[in-house]
Amino acid sequence: MNQQTEFMFQQALQALQNGNVKYGESILLGLLKSSPKYFPALHVMGLSRARAEDHLGALQYFQKAVKINSSDAGLQYNLAKAYSALDRHRESLPHHVQATKLAPQNPEGWLNYGKSLSFLKRYSEAISNYEESLRLNPNYFEACINLGMVFIAQGEFLKAFEYCQHAIKLQPASYEAWVKFAGVLLSLYRYGEAVIASERAIELDPTSCEAYIVGGMANAELHQIPIALTLFERALSINPNEDYLLGRIVNMKRQIASWENLESLTRQLINDIKFGKKVCPPGSTLVFDDSAELQSLAAQIWVQDKLGLVTQRSIARKKGTNEKIRLAYFSSDFREHPVGELMQKIIELHDRSKFHVLGFFLNQKSGDGVERNLESLFDESINISELSDVEAEKLIDSHNIDIAIDLNGYTDGNKTQLFAKRVAPIQVNYLGYAATMGCNFFDYIIADKNAIPEDKQAQFSEVVAYMPDCFFPATFDVLGEDSGDIPSRVSQGLPADGVVFACFNNIFKISPAIFTIWMKLLKAVPDSVLWISSARPEAVQNFRTYAQVQGVAPERLIFADRVPSKADHLRRIRNVDLFLDTPNYNAHTTAAEFLSVGVPVLTLSGNTFAGRVAESQLLTLGVPELIAKSEEEYLNKALDFATDQTRLNQIKEKLQILRMSSPLFNIAAYVKNLEILYLQMQNRQE
């Protein structure tokens, strides 16, 4: 290199250091024009482009430089970073390897290597790199934070807690440390502390949306829905493109019946999902009146984003001729919850001569009666709520499961990541999630031909395993629930006379459209009332306001109180004349409860699995006259039953007879049919 070239190169460096990028780069470009393989100019030009966030330009210069000198540790480091900045993490890996080999004492090299591995979801390798970075620099704040995040991804929340707490000690005024710590606390179910940590993060950086999101999620878990909604909306104002945020906002608005802009927001969500955008958790799509294809697409987007390309393990179980099939049910709802309550009779009635039945509890121990009963009913009860994914996987493997049945789907508390790697040769989506999982690691979904018609099978990623009657296990003792007196209407806050309509569905299932139909019904039937399941104060106020706007006296909406037991609930609902179901996402357990005590359930047939569950129950029971195919027919049928006492009495009498003989409430036959499906799955597998 001659003196003139060296002089010009130093001038370029000086200009760049002084912030005169244009002049400095012009000198470098001049040097490269005359000497295209001048390594220092190529390297520095790449650095300058990277600093200007022109990562593609930087990459091009680094690629030319590495052909000249591949043994420069700094260049390998910068080339790896350029690939990573372009989300080309797989291509960055060989250069990370070279950078750490050439400069093994550089903690930043190990850190960046770990970041790329994290993006590729190669978590165990990422942990090793972060730990090496921290060994070289025990006070390396960013290594602590990244270790915390990768342990969260691995489900090792206690380890994540330790590293995030250490990061706060290193930099107590760091927004990033507090917001990540809040996320860990959220994962550990320490919601109150998560709220406090998120508030501290907001104080430190009021312009970054992550803290508002974590705070919103923690408040939602504490049932502080208005606060959660406010925080989510604040986050959206900061970043309108934040992943899944719009879906969370729509879900919160539905939880408290806050319907302003709900229709336009829902349309936007549906359109964004169709364009492949990460806007809505899959579980929130079940209320949309669209199609199973939309639900499948939302699930595919979620799985690809959260789990990536997971390699499924090959698990084979060789069984002896008389060896029992090992069934394992997984749920975070083995407690006082509809799923836990419904499963008790199924577990009890399973044929132990053919099946060994295990229960994997994904929820923290509640100690309630349903949980205790299930623990005694399973042949083995295993709680994995506090295990890391790696620990849970090893423990599950030790039980040699033949068929794993997931009762969660994409509902809260799921362990989909375990199923993604495969915990059993056969994996089944059942009961807890009335939609497709939209992935290749669930083999079957259990349904019936009314809930999932045969011509709709293509909308599901799973093979549909059909029950001969309704797939829904209506595990209520209809012969025994008549015992005891029906409480008076007045004791329930209901009028002594007049028609009592009811909807005890979750509030989020109630849409503005169906509510408008109900208000038309109340106006057309004098002295009638609508009895609604217990709701948050904000929802009660909103419903009453909407009723008044539509010309209905707010006091005609009556909100139920909670009662001590299921038996009390089943007795009181016999005061209802007609249950009004919600379309799109029907009553499931609730429909079975009302039918079990002889109360007619009027449903509106939907376009999805979740929107046809009540229809399936009614067809199995033998009362197709309670199914409407349009909003107009729904309103007309409700009016007919409400204004024709003879017709209403006839349908009630019919229900009283059918409920005693229908397959819908024959749980012993139901369990036998379910076991036939399991045996067919096992035989096909073998």
Side-chain angles (χ1 to χ4, degrees), residues 69-94:
N69 182 2
S70 62
S71 61
D72 186 289
L75 173 62
Q76 292 285 2
Y77 171 88
N78 291 320
L79 182 52
K81 282 187 71 175
Y83 275 118
S84 296
L86 292 165
D87 288 330
R88 293 164 64 175
H89 299 287
R90 202 170 301 281
E91 293 171 88
S92 76
L93 296 183

